[in-house]
């Protein structure tokens, strides 16, 4: 009997390369019921393939996941998203003006970080990637501090050692960003394990992009999370592109990224990442599970990266022009604005006024940050700082090297 030669399957980009997102299989708004927080993983396996949504096409909040935010909290969330976008626009502009070398925007993804942060408490720790600046801005962290890090000036708390946008603010629950993708996943699980071992009440949140789920650290983290059940939320931000590689190549061709949790016995949700209300509700659910000692939850946030991957990227080489208009889940800012207007809690005039106010606030902060220097001009951290913050007690050979260098 003659058998056919074996072949290897090579993933190919899904139709969204041509602006077609029909492969997403969206659930109706309000169509996925909210399960009890203490539900067993095997009872909600279908949640990894459905999509939790709250806002419908008319801007109404529907379904059992709605009602977790007051009107004032929603206004605060809208402000945080608008401020995050204004910050991104200003910093991208400063990069074009050669005031910094590099920048990465989160345009279209603001709801994920801003709404998730609103579900946390002081003391909880995020282990973010480079596209979660909203975690800081949503808690009113000083944007001047963030700008100084991007500009690598004398006020850069990273002392020029990190790539721009690699912020660090542990006192704000924002762990140092790592350029080695997926390392933050194992760090978050380890931190959560330590919190549980101390009998603490603080939880951790790990962040990763869908492309980086192919890294070994992602799976190593899930092994430890499934065995020791620490208080951690494992976030996967599926913005459809890992630089120029479509999400189908990263493993989303036949299944969802949320479904990867099933092999480890971890509960998983798949959520509309452009729906502020859905993000907040799902985050609260997962955080409550963690804080009640019910173990980890993996959440896939379905969104779209509207901006280039970074200021070094040209998306026109791999994405069709105007593809944002084809994206089925819309703009998170516009959707929340429409909801607030629909319930009589907002108006177009107030929205325009707030945008102007935030643009001025960001402009004022940019002028202050530039006063401390930029990449090309002004004071920088002393070269002597390269010897610091490595060891608790500087060893003799480093002291000698510092002296030989004249510091």
């Amino acid at each position: 009997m003659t058998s056919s030669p074996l072949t290897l399957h090579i993933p190919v980009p899904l139709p969204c390369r041509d602006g077609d997102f029909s492969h997403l299989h969206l659930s109706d708004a309000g169509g996925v019921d909210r399960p009890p927080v203490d539900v067993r993983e095997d009872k909600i396996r279908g949640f990894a393939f459905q999509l939790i949504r709250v806002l419908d096409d008319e801007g109404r909040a529907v379904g059992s996941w709605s009602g977790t935010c007051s009107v004032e909290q929603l206004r605060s969330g809208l402000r945080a998203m608008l401020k995050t976008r204004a910050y991104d626009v200003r910093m991208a502009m400063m990069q074009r003006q050669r005031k910094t070398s590099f920048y990465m925007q989160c345009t279209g993804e603001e709801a994920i970080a801003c709404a998730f942060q609103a579900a946390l408490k002081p003391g909880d720790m995020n282990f973010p990637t480079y596209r979660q600046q909203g975690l800081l801005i949503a808690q009113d962290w000083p944007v001047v501090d963030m700008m100084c890090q991007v500009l690598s000036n004398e006020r850069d708390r990273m002392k020029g050692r990190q790539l721009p946008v690699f912020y660090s603010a542990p006192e704000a629950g924002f762990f140092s960003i790592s350029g080695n993708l997926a390392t933050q996943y194992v760090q978050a699980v380890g931190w959560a394990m330590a919190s549980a071992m101390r009998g603490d009440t603080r939880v951790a949140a790990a962040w990763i992009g869908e492309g980086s789920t192919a890294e070994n650290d992602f799976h190593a983290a899930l092994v430890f999370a499934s065995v020791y059940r620490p208080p951690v939320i494992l976030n996967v931000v599926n913005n459809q592109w890992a630089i120029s590689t479509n999400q189908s190549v990263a493993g989303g061709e036949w299944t969802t990224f949320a479904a990867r949790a099933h092999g480890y016995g971890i509960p998983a949700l798949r959520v509309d990442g452009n729906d502020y209300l859905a993000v907040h509700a799902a985050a609260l659910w997962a955080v409550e599970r963690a804080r009640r000692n019910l173990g980890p939850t993996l959440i896939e946030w379905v969104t779209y990266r509207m901006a280039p991957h970074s200021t070094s990227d040209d998306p026109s080489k791999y994405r069709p022009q105007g593809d944002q208009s084809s994206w089925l889940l819309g703009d998170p800012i516009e959707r929340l604005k429409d909801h607030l207007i629909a319930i009589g809690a907002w108006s177009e005039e107030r929205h325009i006024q707030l945008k102007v106010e935030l643009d001025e606030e960001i402009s004022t902060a940019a002028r202050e940050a530039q006063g401390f220097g930029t990449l090309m001009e002004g004071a920088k951290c002393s070269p002597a700082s390269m010897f610091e913050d490595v060891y608790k007690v500087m060893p003799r050979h480093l002291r000698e090297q510092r002296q030989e260098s004249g510091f």
Side-chain angles (χ1 to χ4, degrees), residues 1-8:
M1 180 177 178
T2 303
S3 59
S4 301
L6 297 172
T7 60
L8 189 67

Side-chain angles (χ1 to χ4, degrees), residues 328-372:
L328 301 175
L329 298 178
D331 183 322
I333 293 177
E334 291 298 311
R335 290 177 67 187
L336 182 53
K337 179 196 75 171
D338 291 345
H339 171 66
L340 285 169
I341 291 175
I343 63 175
W346 201 242
S347 67
E348 290 286 357
E349 293 75 20
R350 293 174 71 184
H351 194 75
I352 293 171
Q353 181 183 6
L354 179 58
K355 288 179 65 177
V356 171
E357 292 172 357
L358 290 173
D359 286 342
E360 180 57 34
E361 180 181 338
I362 294 298
S363 295
T364 300
R367 289 191 292 271
E368 181 181 347
Q370 291 175 77
F372 301 117

